[in-house]
Each structure stands twice: as structure tokens, then as C-alpha cells.
Amino acid sequence: MDRLHFYSIMNGEGTLDYELYLNTKSLLSCQKDFAAFCNKDELQFQVVHQIEELWMKLIGYTLLDVDEYLLKENTNRVITLFRRVHIALRLMINQLDLLETMSPKEYQEIRLQLGNGSGQESPGFRVILKMHPFLWHSFKSTYLDQHGLTVEKIYNSEYAHADAYVVAEALAEFDELFQRFRFVHMQLIQRTIGMGSKSLKGRSVEMLNEGQRVRFFPELWEIRSHMTDTWGASYGVVRDSIGGH
Ligand code: HEM
């Protein structure tokens, strides 16, 4: 097959309505020229990062809407939009798998192209990291405080599987999936450059473990251990066997 011929088709003319509406001319020029790639894996490397940025843009944009609907206590909208956020996060997580088809050596060649860039400079990631305090405040004031509820009441003492609980679980799922992205990304690092190495900023890769411990909504995780402690208090630390031995 004639590579150059197919390369020109891949870029498209950019003149048809489909191409104009989707701005494919710009979109498909966001990657290096085919001739400039350092190896056959670099297109995939750029595309995966760019797609992840687009998902994060969509997630950030959607969370702004979620916040407005939280303040209006519009649970149906909140749940539908959180579902969109959750699906996009799962896509982000699953798409990291693609980069595991790249050998460690091919990544080393690509790495020489990256300057001292760091994923911590990602605009999408940085904006999502800033949103959780606002979401928590909106949820707490509208779904809890206004109704005299607390996290403890909706999960345990007054548990009714009502709106506040369902929205709290959507927040928890967002939190969990964001952490899962960080966890799977660490596995990708391990697979590609190995733990114990230094990032392009000269920092130890292990510093990312700190981010993995961050929880957006700690109260939603603490309630679970609190419940285990209080429910478990009836039997103490070690429970008797059901069989009596
Ligand atoms: C082979 C592929 C990859 C490798 C080897 C890699 C490696 C790294 C390293 C070493 C860091 C720490 C950098 C620092 O010192 O600041 C980092 C951070 C980060 N990378 Fe990647 N990365 C890869 C792919 C990706 C992809 C596809 C994304 C998609 C968005 C991504 C997003 C991030 C983010 C958001 C951070 C900051 C994480 C945090 O603060 O918890 N990385 N990456």
C-alpha cells in the first residue's frame, strides 16, 4: 500500500459539511506530521493524550451543570449528568490500555520528544481537581442542611434510599472513578518506565502515590467505616463463629 496516498486521505480535505462542522481540518492537524513522528507509536501516544483531554473537558463542563442542578435540587438531571461523567471517566481509564501496546523502548524514544512536560500540567485534570469543594458545598447545603439531614442519617439511622442518598452515591462514584484513573495510570507508569524512576521534572514517580490517597468527598468514605465500627460494636473486634466454635 502506498503510505503517502493513505496519509493524504486520513487528513481529509476539510471541505465537506461533516468536516466543516467537526472542524476535522484543525482536529486532524493537532498531531505531528506523519513524517515527523519519531516512531510508529508516537501517533497513538499523542492521540490518546488528546482524547483524554477532550473527555476531561467534557467532564469539567458537565460538572458545572451538575453543580447548578444540585443547587436546584433537580435530582433527575443530577443523576443523568453524573452518569455521563462516570461513563467518560470509565472511557478515560479503559483508553490507558492502548498505551500498553507500546514497548518500553518505543516509549523511551517518544519520551525524548516531551521536553519536561508533566501530566500535572494537564488543563483538564487541573480543572477537575478544583471542582469537588463546590460540588460538596452545593450537595450539603441543598440535600442535607436544608432538610436537617446528615451523611450519617441518609446512610444509616434514617436510611430511606431517597434522593440525598442516591446523589451522595453518584458523588462517591465520581470520586472512586477519578482515583481509579490515578491507580490505572500508575500501573501504566510501572509497565512503561518502571516505579522508582524519576519523572521528566526530576521528581520521584512515587510522589503520585500521595495523589492516590486524596478523596474528594471524605465524609462519604468515613461513614462506611463508622457504620462498620458501630454495627460491629455488638460483637467487639473478633466475632464468634456461627457454628459456635
Ligand atoms: C506511557 C504513558 C505515560 C507515562 C509513562 C506517564 C508518566 C507520568 C509521570 C512520570 C507523571 C509524574 C510527572 C511529574 O513529575 O509531575 C505523570 C503524571 C500524570 N500523567 Fe501521565 N503518563 C503516561 C500517560 C498518561 C496519559 C495517557 C494521561 C492522560 C491524561 C496522563 C495523565 C497524567 C496526569 C493527569 C498526571 C498527574 C497525576 C497526579 O497528579 O495524580 N498520563 N505521568
Side-chain angles (χ1 to χ4, degrees):
M1 285 196 281
D2 176 358
R3 267 185 183 273
L4 294 180
H5 171 65
F6 284 105
Y7 285 166
S8 74
I9 301 175
M10 282 177 210
N11 283 334
E13 293 297 323
T15 52
L16 302 172
D17 273 10
Y18 176 91
E19 297 173 307
L20 288 170
Y21 179 73
L22 294 176
N23 205 358
T24 55
K25 195 84 190 155
S26 299
L27 181 67
L28 300 172
S29 338
C30 288
Q31 300 77 44
K32 282 184 172 179
D33 277 348
F34 289 107
F37 285 126
C38 71
N39 62 27
K40 297 280 174 55
D41 282 59
E42 198 178 0
L43 173 61
Q44 173 187 242
F45 186 81
Q46 279 202 321
V47 164
V48 171
H49 278 83
Q50 288 171 343
I51 291 171
E52 300 266 359
E53 282 303 328
L54 288 175
W55 289 134
M56 288 189 276
K57 182 174 182 177
L58 179 65
I59 291 169
Y61 182 73
T62 306
L63 288 174
L64 291 173
D65 283 349
V66 166
D67 192 54
E68 283 179 15
Y69 287 119
L70 281 172
L71 290 169
K72 291 181 188 155
E73 222 177 327
N74 186 331
T75 305
N76 289 347
R77 287 278 189 192
V78 167
I79 294 303
T80 302
L81 291 177
F82 255 135
R83 184 157 175 259
R84 184 178 299 170
V85 168
H86 301 155
I87 293 171
L89 274 165
R90 285 200 177 85
L91 289 171
M92 283 184 64
I93 294 162
N94 292 337
Q95 282 162 17
L96 290 178
D97 284 356
L98 274 168
L99 292 174
E100 298 200 343
T101 65
M102 170 179 65
S103 71
K105 179 162 181 190
E106 270 138 351
Y107 178 63
Q108 293 300 337
E109 290 168 355
I110 294 169
R111 199 164 188 249
L112 296 176
Q113 318 292 312
L114 304 179
N116 67 7
S118 154
Q120 289 192 326
E121 293 162 0
S122 150
F125 196 75
R126 281 186 291 142
V127 82
I128 295 172
L129 281 176
K130 285 188 194 308
M131 288 180 156
H132 60 97
F134 297 96
L135 294 168
W136 182 252
H137 182 266
S138 302
F139 165 72
K140 191 169 172 313
S141 59
T142 319
Y143 280 86
L144 298 182
D145 300 348
Q146 196 168 275
H147 297 282
L149 291 170
T150 61
V151 171
E152 195 285 326
K153 285 181 180 170
I154 62 168
Y155 274 84
N156 194 29
S157 53
E158 294 179 21
Y159 169 68
H161 209 107
D163 285 21
Y165 169 80
V166 172
V167 171
E169 283 296 280
L171 286 160
E173 191 161 343
F174 162 53
D175 197 349
E176 179 176 315
L177 288 169
F178 193 80
Q179 287 313 315
R180 195 179 301 168
F181 171 82
R182 282 179 142 158
F183 176 74
V184 175
H185 171 260
M186 280 299 267
Q187 290 185 314
L188 175 63
I189 292 183
Q190 185 164 20
R191 181 91 176 242
T192 318
I193 56 172
M195 300 307 289
S197 22
K198 295 245 184 297
S199 76
L200 290 164
K201 297 254 185 255
R203 295 185 282 238
S204 164
V205 165
E206 264 88 20
M207 60 113 190
L208 293 177
N209 286 327
E210 281 165 37
Q212 275 198 79
R213 284 191 282 273
V214 171
R215 292 283 172 269
F216 284 164
F217 312 115
E219 286 187 55
L220 296 182
W221 302 108
E222 283 153 14
I223 180 61
R224 292 157 220 265
S225 15
H226 170 75
M227 284 171 69
T228 308
D229 287 347
T230 47
W231 283 73
S234 62
Y235 58 78
V237 179
V238 180
R239 196 171 179 191
D240 291 338
S241 151
I242 306 174
H245 32 261

